[in-house]
Amino acid sequence: MTELIPLIPLGFERLPEEQMEERSIAFLGRVRTRRSVRHFSTDPVPLDVVRRCIDAAAQAPSGANKQPWSFVIVSDPSLQKRIREGAEEEERAFYEGRANQRWLDDLAPLATDAHKPFLVDAPVLIAVFAQRQGTADEQHYYVQTSVGLACGVLITALHDAGLATLTHTPSPMNFLSEILGRPRNERPFLLLPVGYPVQGCQVPDLPRKSRAEYLTEHIAGAADSDAD
Ligand code: IYR
């Protein structure tokens, strides 16, 4: 017999519309200031804050509530050095031929290259692993979507807490599983340097798309017009 999960009251507070406006405006203002940072100060960061942001990420929804993610905090210079070496080896292969010309052309304006000093400068790396779909005793669902959602919460929580991140995805990242001794059912998903930007840090002046470019609306009764 299937055992149903017991139900509990939701505990949802309806906010007055004015407060909803205020909060959404304030949140948008804060997330608008998030940028990927490639130049980190070596200053240490409060690890409890980092752990709490990971707790926030672990509240993300996931397929059948399997929560198919593992997070690893690395704040050990010798491990960070090995991770840098592993990443730079993959990145050299990427920039010297694995990437197609179109991809290299798209990256050229960002001036990225195979050097990854941020992997040792940042006081913390968070390695995120995705637990594979099917193992002998458990099946996972929508793994990429679930772990991606958790990572979205993670970078937003870290930013909101006053920390800078870089969503770094050297590919392939098998070296991470080896260095960190992860079980075989876990695939590396994302490597996230976390810290403070270096003094005087600069970022490329990247535009975001405008609402008209990313939002389509179908609203009952609304005039179909470009007027506003
Ligand atoms: N992983 C490489 C290349 C790279 C790829 C994308 I897509 C970017 O947005 C940025 C970089 C690197 O980290 O340099």
Side-chain angles (χ1 to χ4, degrees):
M1 258 296 272
T2 305
E3 278 242 14
L4 288 181
I5 298 166
L7 298 177
I8 52 170
L10 172 60
F12 183 98
E13 186 196 354
R14 265 206 196 204
L15 299 174
E17 243 173 67
E18 194 182 308
Q19 213 180 328
M20 293 166 70
E21 295 281 345
E22 266 171 33
R23 284 169 64 147
S24 62
I25 290 166
F27 186 74
L28 175 59
R30 287 208 298 282
V31 297
R32 271 209 169 119
T33 63
R34 189 205 59 79
R35 295 297 310 269
S36 290
V37 163
R38 289 173 198 281
H39 309 284
F40 285 86
S41 153
T42 56
D43 291 348
V45 297
L47 282 180
D48 268 350
V49 170
V50 175
R51 290 188 190 104
R52 214 171 284 119
C53 292
I54 292 172
D55 292 341
Q59 310 310 307
S62 62
N65 192 35
K66 295 289 183 176
Q67 307 171 55
W69 42 63
S70 301
F71 301 90
V72 180
I73 293 179
V74 180
S75 186
D76 169 345
S78 66
L79 272 183
Q80 287 180 245
K81 182 166 170 281
R82 288 175 61 197
I83 290 171
R84 177 186 182 177
E85 285 162 5
E88 289 186 333
E89 195 178 321
E90 296 298 354
E91 296 291 5
R92 276 194 297 275
F94 172 86
Y95 284 98
E96 287 166 12
R98 197 184 292 140
N100 63 23
Q101 196 52 47
R102 188 85 172 261
W103 196 344
L104 293 175
D105 291 347
D106 273 338
L107 290 179
L110 294 169
T112 57
D113 60 28
H115 295 103
K116 305 299 173 193
F118 50 73
L119 291 173
V120 295
D121 291 341
V124 169
L125 307 178
I126 303 175
V128 185
F129 292 84
Q131 298 166 1
R132 258 192 309 127
Q133 308 277 353
T135 59
D137 37 35
E138 196 168 35
Q139 215 167 285
H140 287 165
Y141 312 94
Y142 300 98
V143 171
Q144 298 295 110
T145 306
S146 303
V147 183
L149 288 166
C151 288
V153 175
L154 179 60
I155 64 171
T156 309
L158 289 163
H159 172 67
D160 202 51
L163 289 167
T165 60
L166 173 62
T167 43
H168 183 41
T169 52
S171 168
M173 280 193 273
N174 303 333
F175 66 90
L176 258 191
S177 305
E178 239 167 80
I179 293 171
L180 299 176
R182 301 310 297 175
R184 282 187 49 77
N185 68 316
E186 291 187 1
R187 293 279 172 270
F189 186 83
L190 181 67
L191 183 54
L192 203 69
V194 179
Y196 301 109
V198 77
Q199 198 85 41
C201 182
Q202 292 190 309
V203 292
D205 186 12
L206 297 177
R208 291 297 195 228
K209 288 182 178 174
S210 66
R211 186 186 278 175
E213 291 172 282
Y214 56 71
L215 177 64
T216 304
E217 302 190 15
H218 299 275
I219 302 198
D224 188 8
S225 135
D226 288 334
D228 51 9

